[in-house]
Amino acid sequence: MMRKHLAPFVALLAVGMATLTACGSTSEAPQPARAEATTSPAAPSAAGAGADDLSLLAGTAKSNNSPAGTGDWAVAGGGVAPEAVRQTAQKWVQLTASRAGDLNPVVVNGAGLTLYRFDKDSNNPPTSNCSGDCAAAWPPVTVTPGGKIFIAGIKKGAVGTVQRADGTRQVTINGWPVYRFAKDAKRGDTLGQGVGGTWFGVTPAGGKAGVPADDQTTPDAGGSTAPPATSAVLFDDPNFSDNGASQGAAGSGCQNLSRPGVASSVAAPGSLKLWTGPGCTGRSTVINGDVADLAAIGFDDAVASVRFN
C-alpha cells in the first residue's frame, strides 16, 4: 500500500559563563569509574518522582508538532553555545518502544538513538551512580521542569524522573535512570550494549534488552487495566515510526478517521475500541493502551474509526 510520508530552530541566547564546556565522547572505551551516587527526592508515582510539573503525552515529538531543533533533535553547531544547546535539548524527551540492531524491543529517543540502563544504578529508590567521566561517555537523558515527555509503547505509570547531584532531572523507566551512549552516532546503533557487562539497552518495562528473562534483575512494571482514553495517535508504519505519516483522533464516543485503512500502530494513553468500518461498524477490538504493530492483532491497514470512553 502506498503511504504518504511527511517531508525553525530558534537559537537560544547563550549563557555567558566562560567556564562551561560540553560533555563529549572519548576515543577509548569509556569506563563508569569515578561515578558518584545521586539521590531521589521521592519514590516514583504514576507520573514519576518529582514529575508532577511535566507533561506526559501520547505519541512522538513529530506527531505532537514539536519545533525543529528542540528536545532530542537539538544539535550543536551554528554558533550556538553548548549551554544553550543543553537547555533547549531538555525541553522535551521522547521515549519510544522500537527496534535497534538485534535489540527488540528497546527504547529509543526522538532522534532514534538507543537508550540504556546501568546495572550499578538502582530503581528502588531510583538512583544514578554515573557522573563525571561516566556521564560524559553516557549522557543522562534529562528534562527541564515544565518540559514534556512523549511516550509511545511505554506505560505512562512506568515513566518518571530522579534528581541528579547537579540538580538536573533524569528520566527513569520503572525507576531505572536512562542514558544515551556517546559513541552511538545514528539510529539503530547499539555500540553501548553489554559494555563492561553493566550497560544494556533499556526495555519499555525498564528491563535489560537482549538479555534472557532468567537473567533479568528488573521486574516488569505492573500492569493494571488502563483507564478509558480520550485521544490517540495512529501511525501509518509499525513501531510508532515517524518515517511515515500519522493522524490523531480525540473526543468522546465514535470518531471516524480522516484517513481510514492506513494505520499500522497506535499510541493511546488508555483503552479504546478499534473498528474496521466508519461510524464504528464492522470488526472491532479493544486495546488497552499502545499497540506497536496492529498486524499482531489482525488490524493492520484496517482501522476506519475508534470509540472512546
Side-chain angles (χ1 to χ4, degrees), residues 232-259:
V233 180
L234 296 94
F235 297 83
D236 286 15
D237 294 335
N239 296 315
F240 324 103
S241 174
D242 279 334
N243 292 329
S246 62
Q247 59 186 314
S252 61
C254 185
Q255 301 289 330
N256 289 326
L257 298 184
S258 58
R259 295 186 302 111

Side-chain angles (χ1 to χ4, degrees), residues 8 57 75 77 97 101 112 141 169 185 196 205 265 289:
L57 304 175
V75 294
V141 176
R169 291 199 297 180
S265 56

Side-chain angles (χ1 to χ4, degrees), residues 95-99 105-108 152-154 204 239-240 292:
L95 304 175
T96 300
S98 187
R99 177 172 186 164
V106 70
V107 179
V108 301
I154 300 164
N239 296 315
F240 324 103

